[in-house]
């Protein structure tokens, strides 16, 4: 489990991504995405992200779309979880930024730069944490689409024997999702239902022999939780004791264990 959570914006402006070019005493120059630590007073990840973007850039952005998270170990041995969101820039006035880090000489400089948002350019930069750069190089198209559409889409495949009602209860327990907003049933049952207002669909028979219980949802779940597919899967797996498979870009998937641990799975699932 991470010792601290941080939020980061993959902030697109036209064909470019906005980054900080960082220089610190005795540290090689590196680049980072805007964002920072989640504070106790933040209502959630999205609230923390908007606060950080205001402090660091005085930026107004389109609704951020959850992408994924990246865990990274700090020099002191602690773990930080970096939650990534895609959004597009509406306006900013970085000359008016007011974050406390800008007055601390030990923090170095934060120069705002725009670079082409391509896998080649990201690969040439010393971007930190390296796991964020690795994800961006792999998921360029996915990030572009999320930022362009401004809407999230969830598709998490749980082990075939997973209980749909248990997942529905876990969504309520973890995120306050009204059970009436979660439909549990097959595609045939969904089509024949007289009145369905659900925003989350759990299909216990999606056809896959191993991971055939599929949770599907759209932007309403992102607005209610502010989390990515991977974060959702790790939480629900811990609460229900099941396993899950989460597609994370075109190259691979994440295999999530019953205790919420996760590792890359090269068995693609779509």
């Amino acid at each position: 489990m991470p010792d601290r959570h941080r939020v980061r914006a993959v902030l697109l402006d036209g064909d470019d991504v906005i980054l900080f070019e960082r220089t610190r005493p005795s540290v090689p120059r590196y680049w980072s995405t805007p964002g920072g630590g989640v504070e106790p007073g933040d209502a959630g990840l999205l609230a923390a992200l908007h606060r950080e973007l205001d402090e660091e850039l005085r930026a107004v952005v389109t609704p951020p779309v959850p992408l994924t998270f990246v865990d990274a170990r700090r020099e002191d041995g602690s773990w930080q979880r970096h939650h990534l969101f895609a959004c597009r820039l509406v306006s900013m006035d970085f000359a008016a930024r007011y974050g406390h880090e800008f007055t601390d000489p030990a923090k170095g400089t934060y120069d705002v730069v725009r670079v082409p948002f391509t896998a080649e350019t990201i690969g040439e930069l010393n971007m930190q944490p390296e796991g964020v750069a690795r994800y961006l190089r792999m998921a360029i198209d996915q990030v572009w689409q999320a930022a362009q559409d401004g809407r999230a889409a969830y598709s998490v495949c749980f082990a075939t024997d997973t209980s749909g009602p248990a997942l529905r209860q876990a969504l309520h327990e973890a995120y306050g999702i009204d059970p009436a907003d979660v439909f549990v049933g097959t595609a045939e049952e969904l089509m024949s239902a007289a009145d369905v207002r659900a925003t989350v669909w759990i299909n216990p028979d999606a056809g896959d022999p191993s991971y055939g219980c599929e949770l599907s949802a759209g932007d309403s779940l992102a607005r209610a939780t502010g989390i990515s597919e991977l974060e959702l899967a790790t939480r629900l797996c811990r609460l229900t004791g099941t396993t899950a498979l989460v597609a994370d870009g075109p190259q691979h998937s994440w295999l999530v264990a019953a205790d919420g641990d996760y590792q890359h799975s090269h068995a693609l699932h779509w």
Side-chain angles (χ1 to χ4, degrees), residues 62-76:
T62 59
V65 177
L67 293 170
T68 190
F69 67 74
V70 173
D71 285 335
R73 188 188 292 272
R74 290 171 53 86
E75 294 177 357
D76 61 7

Side-chain angles (χ1 to χ4, degrees), residues 8-19 31-34 65 67-68 84-89 113-125 127 131-148:
R8 293 186 171 277
V10 186
L11 181 54
L12 302 183
D13 185 21
D15 294 333
D16 298 332
V17 61
I18 295 174
L19 301 174
W31 286 258
S32 65
T33 53
V65 177
L67 293 170
T68 190
L84 272 63
F85 295 81
C87 52
R88 290 180 289 112
L89 181 68
V113 298
R114 288 176 170 84
V115 303
F117 188 53
T118 64
E120 293 75 18
T121 300
I122 297 300
E124 293 170 355
L125 299 177
M127 181 176 286
V132 171
R134 183 167 57 247
Y135 168 78
L136 293 179
R137 292 195 302 267
M138 175 196 69
I140 289 287
D141 291 342
Q142 180 181 346
V143 176
W144 271 120
Q145 193 66 50
Q148 182 65 32

Side-chain angles (χ1 to χ4, degrees), residues 183 188-196:
F183 181 86
E188 291 76 12
E189 291 169 333
L190 178 63
M191 294 179 63
S192 62
D195 181 21
V196 177

Side-chain angles (χ1 to χ4, degrees), residues 91-174:
S91 65
M92 71 174 178
D93 181 10
F94 60 84
R97 60 191 181 182
Y98 57 94
H100 62 85
E101 60 267 41
F102 304 124
T103 60
D104 183 355
K107 296 288 187 179
T109 61
Y110 291 74
D111 294 325
V112 178
V113 298
R114 288 176 170 84
V115 303
F117 188 53
T118 64
E120 293 75 18
T121 300
I122 297 300
E124 293 170 355
L125 299 177
N126 177 26
M127 181 176 286
Q128 299 296 321
E130 201 283 327
V132 171
R134 183 167 57 247
Y135 168 78
L136 293 179
R137 292 195 302 267
M138 175 196 69
I140 289 287
D141 291 342
Q142 180 181 346
V143 176
W144 271 120
Q145 193 66 50
Q148 182 65 32
D149 293 347
R151 301 182 65 84
Y154 294 82
S155 178
V156 180
C157 297
F158 294 91
T160 297
D161 59 354
T162 303
S163 166
L167 288 175
R168 177 167 53 195
Q169 178 59 32
L171 284 166
H172 176 67
E173 178 182 336

